[in-house]
Amino acid sequence: MPTNQPIVLLRERDGSRYLPIWVGAAEAAAIAYAQQGVVPPRPLTHDLLKNVLTDLGHTIDRVRIISLEDGVFHAVLDIDGGASGGGQSIDSRSSDAIALALRAGVEIVTSEDLLDQAGVAMAGEQEDDEVEKFKEFLDHVSADDFDTGQQPSS
């Protein structure tokens, strides 16, 4: 994007909502590599973490996007069943969690509450057209566009 702020759109599995998550350039590249099946000659950071966990006998079960705080999404990695299954849930940046989930081939989930809070609804049959319009909008918008310069009235 012109603002150099890549975005990941996570789509609701059986619905029409998307969760827009802004990510850093390095994480966007790591996510794109995983989506495209690019295998680097030496492991990148996310590949290394996956390999370390696997080689130590651990399993990444899923990634959960758990909250939105001050405009930042927070995630956890559920390892060996996660906290509810006797394993561990490890705090993570959402972008790193997504990159790792793609490499491990595990699902990325979130709560209905978070989708209600931050999800963007798309019409079912016009979904592709709406997604393209949303992408076009994102290509031409920056945070500065929302600063009207007006003070709130009392």
Side-chain angles (χ1 to χ4, degrees):
M1 295 176 55
T3 61
N4 290 327
Q5 290 267 267
I7 188 170
V8 172
L9 289 175
L10 297 178
R11 185 172 51 98
E12 184 177 24
R13 181 177 294 155
D14 296 320
S16 60
R17 293 179 290 182
Y18 289 78
L19 195 62
I21 300 176
W22 274 264
V23 299
E27 292 79 12
I31 290 167
Y33 286 165
Q35 288 177 316
Q36 297 166 4
V38 173
V39 178
R42 301 287 300 144
L44 300 177
T45 304
H46 300 97
D47 303 303
L48 174 63
L49 180 56
K50 178 190 165 284
N51 293 346
V52 166
L53 287 168
T54 301
D55 289 354
L56 291 174
H58 298 286
T59 303
I60 304 167
D61 297 305
R62 67 181 178 170
V63 161
R64 290 184 288 132
I65 310 297
I66 59 168
S67 66
L68 176 62
E69 299 171 24
D70 298 323
V72 177
F73 284 96
H74 295 256
V76 294
L77 309 172
D78 284 339
I79 309 295
D80 298 335
S84 63
Q88 295 290 316
S89 293
I90 300 172
D91 184 40
S92 174
R93 296 186 311 172
S94 57
S95 55
D96 290 327
I98 292 166
L100 190 56
L102 291 171
R103 283 164 175 73
V106 300
E107 67 181 351
I108 302 167
V109 300
T110 193
S111 68
E112 283 292 325
D113 288 343
L114 189 55
L115 273 173
D116 290 342
Q117 176 188 354
V120 177
M122 301 286 180
E125 57 190 54
Q126 298 175 341
E127 187 172 304
D128 291 337
D129 187 42
E130 292 295 322
V131 170
E132 287 305 315
K133 286 180 185 177
F134 185 60
K135 287 179 183 177
E136 185 175 322
F137 166 75
L138 292 172
D139 284 341
H140 297 94
V141 70
S142 73
D144 296 334
D145 293 331
F146 294 99
D147 182 11
T148 63
Q150 299 176 353
Q151 297 296 321
S153 59
S154 310

